[in-house]
Amino acid sequence: MTTSQQQPAKKGIKIPRLVISLVVLVVLGGVGWYLSRDDALNAKVGDCLHRKGGNDLAIVKCDSADANFTVLGRVESKTESEASAEGVCDQWADATNTYWEGKSGQKGTLLCLKDK
């Protein structure tokens, strides 16, 4: 008579793929936020911006020598053509410049700026 011995079940921690995927997404989202935290689109009223070149602005400290503009106002949900229309920033009498960010043909955000 032969007896067969059963192998003991392997014990260990099994992490479902869904949990791993969620952790990866959270990490990537955090990295994305960190890399874009100084984008002009994140600017609030009172923040200062530096022109990095062309139409590229970044948030800087207002006491920085690099500060070129102060954000006077934000206007949401404007197309690029609406943002370039006269009078959009008239409620901020000191506004000297505008900055629009969004996708062409869609609505975006307009910043009303004052030269520093």
Side-chain angles (χ1 to χ4, degrees):
M1 184 188 252
T2 60
T3 59
S4 63
Q5 293 183 351
Q6 290 184 354
Q7 294 289 333
K10 289 186 179 181
K11 293 186 179 184
I13 299 174
K14 291 186 178 180
I15 301 174
R17 289 182 189 214
L18 178 62
V19 172
I20 293 171
S21 297
L22 289 174
V23 169
V24 168
L25 285 174
V26 168
V27 169
L28 290 176
V31 168
W33 169 84
Y34 181 79
L35 294 175
S36 67
R37 72 189 184 288
D38 68 344
D39 285 352
L41 192 56
N42 295 321
K44 298 181 289 289
V45 172
D47 284 347
C48 292
L49 301 173
H50 167 67
R51 182 184 305 268
K52 296 186 333 185
N55 199 27
D56 191 15
L57 301 177
I59 299 171
V60 295
K61 293 185 180 211
C62 288
D63 59 1
S64 167
D66 289 338
N68 302 111
F69 306 104
T70 302
V71 179
L72 298 178
R74 286 179 63 99
V75 182
E76 305 291 338
S77 298
K78 293 288 183 190
T79 64
E80 193 169 8
S81 60
E82 290 172 332
S84 62
E86 288 291 321
V88 178
C89 289
D90 281 355
Q91 60 185 323
W92 297 281
D94 293 340
T96 56
N97 294 285
T98 60
Y99 173 80
W100 179 86
E101 188 168 321
K103 291 185 180 179
S104 184
Q106 296 181 8
K107 295 189 182 257
T109 300
L110 172 71
L111 298 178
C112 300
L113 309 172
K114 174 185 171 185
D115 288 325
K116 281 284 289 171

